[in-house]
Amino acid sequence: MMKVSGRILIRCAALTLVLTSGSAIQILDSIDDLKRINFGRSVPTHSLVLLHWFANTVTIDGYNGISLNFDPDSGDYGSHYYGNYEGLLPLGNNRYYTIGNIYQERGLQLPHHVVNPRPEYAGRNRARIIVRVRHQGRQGLQIIDEVYITQHYEMSDNQGTDYDPHQTFLITPNLLRQIRQFSMNGDQHLLMSLRNRFGSNVDDSQLRLIRNTWGSLACLGLLLRIVVQSGTSDRNNNLCNDCVLFMLLLLFIAFFILFGNANKQHA
């Protein structure tokens, strides 16, 4: 019983930390971490489509150095300077850029599947990637040391064009490497390998359906299936488990209250 109540107290403490620490940014280090994000509801699934494209566009070296192969000052891929005036990200002598404005027309354009994703994965141009540029490397490559996914507030929130700090996440090089395994092209063998490696419940018939539906973007389709649908199932299971644990805690408390009252009556 003490283990159960302790686990609940830990969960409650963690939840309180998230709710009361507006400046804290959650770190996403793996596909499993992505599953815990509420894609499709509080976070547009288009964020995941954009992140998949980004992971397969940048270069990552053996020292976790991430290089952009385009100039964000030029407006490539919907990029522009981000002043961080609202203090969303760490302050200091940092230079940030946002990437992913699908309506920005200058510079290199985002690929069609990012600009016009399948209807169920559209995000009304709210999703963005923010990078912190450290310096310019050899051959003119921009070296970045931090990557975030974020989103603009909903228009109904009346927050203007600010980004939502509660839906801003720091992306590690390890997560980018995992996403890069879901390359832009993949055969059936690769799809099966990725499914088995990242713990998806997709069966062989569903895998063939993904391949037939998504074609050359089948790996992206599988990533979305693993993160969005499997993640929803995992969150529902965790919620059910927490409810059971909470009920056990209430019963535990009620038992001690009744036991204490009974002892007082006999005293």
Side-chain angles (χ1 to χ4, degrees):
M1 283 295 188
M2 293 303 292
K3 289 183 179 180
V4 171
S5 59
R7 181 180 174 186
I8 292 175
L9 289 174
I10 291 172
R11 285 180 179 270
C12 291
L15 179 60
T16 302
L17 177 63
V18 171
L19 294 178
T20 59
S21 300
S23 60
I25 295 179
Q26 184 177 348
I27 298 173
L28 304 181
D29 187 54
S30 66
I31 297 293
D32 284 339
D33 288 345
L34 279 178
K35 291 180 183 179
R36 288 189 274 272
I37 306 304
N38 199 13
F39 286 107
R41 296 197 176 187
S42 60
V43 179
T45 310
H46 184 237
S47 299
L48 193 53
V49 177
L50 183 63
L51 184 60
H52 174 266
W53 164 82
F54 180 83
N56 284 280
T57 299
V58 299
T59 300
I60 307 175
D61 64 28
Y63 301 97
N64 290 332
I66 305 171
S67 303
L68 297 178
N69 59 358
F70 60 92
D71 182 3
D73 278 313
S74 68
D76 289 346
Y77 305 118
S79 62
H80 63 80
Y81 173 74
Y82 170 59
N84 192 33
Y85 301 119
E86 67 270 40
L88 173 70
L89 304 178
L91 301 174
N93 189 24
N94 301 318
R95 190 168 182 83
Y96 294 103
Y97 291 88
T98 68
I99 302 169
N101 183 354
I102 62 177
Y103 296 137
Q104 192 164 305
E105 297 181 353
R106 62 191 178 94
L108 298 173
Q109 300 299 300
L110 289 160
H112 182 268
H113 75 273
V114 177
V115 177
N116 296 296
R118 296 166 63 90
E120 63 267 37
Y121 299 125
R124 301 191 302 280
N125 199 32
R126 292 173 58 211
R128 292 292 187 275
I129 289 173
I130 300 179
V131 298
R132 185 172 77 176
V133 175
R134 188 173 68 217
H135 61 81
Q136 188 171 19
R138 289 177 294 180
Q139 300 177 343
L141 295 177
Q142 301 279 356
I143 309 301
I144 59 179
D145 58 358
E146 287 184 357
V147 177
Y148 300 86
I149 57 170
T150 188
Q151 64 183 52
H152 287 292
Y153 281 104
E154 288 271 18
M155 293 184 63
S156 58
D157 293 329
N158 297 317
Q159 296 286 342
T161 59
D162 285 351
Y163 295 114
D164 185 349
H166 299 292
Q167 305 301 342
T168 300
F169 306 94
L170 177 63
I171 306 300
T172 68
N174 182 65
L175 176 54
L176 290 176
R177 283 194 175 94
Q178 288 191 4
I179 295 176
R180 284 166 67 88
Q181 296 180 48
F182 295 80
S183 59
M184 303 302 288
N185 297 288
D187 56 21
Q188 191 74 7
H189 178 74
L190 176 59
L191 293 175
M192 293 178 65
S193 175
L194 291 170
R195 175 197 62 184
N196 298 337
R197 191 179 313 159
F198 293 101
S200 172
N201 56 2
V202 178
D203 59 32
D204 289 344
S205 62
Q206 292 170 325
L207 206 60
R208 285 192 293 271
L209 179 61
I210 291 173
R211 177 63 177 165
N212 294 334
T213 303
W214 288 83
S216 62
L217 293 171
C219 283
L220 171 59
L222 178 60
L223 176 65
L224 291 167
R225 175 63 172 76
I226 289 174
V227 171
V228 179
Q229 297 186 31
S230 298
T232 300
S233 177
D234 290 346
R235 287 190 295 271
N236 290 338
N237 290 336
N238 289 336
L239 180 61
C240 291
N241 291 336
D242 287 347
C243 289
V244 171
L245 291 173
F246 183 67
M247 292 302 297
L248 288 173
L249 177 61
L250 291 180
L251 291 173
F252 179 77
I253 294 173
F255 170 78
F256 273 93
I257 292 174
L258 293 174
F259 182 77
N261 289 336
N263 285 339
K264 288 180 180 179
Q265 292 176 0
H266 289 296

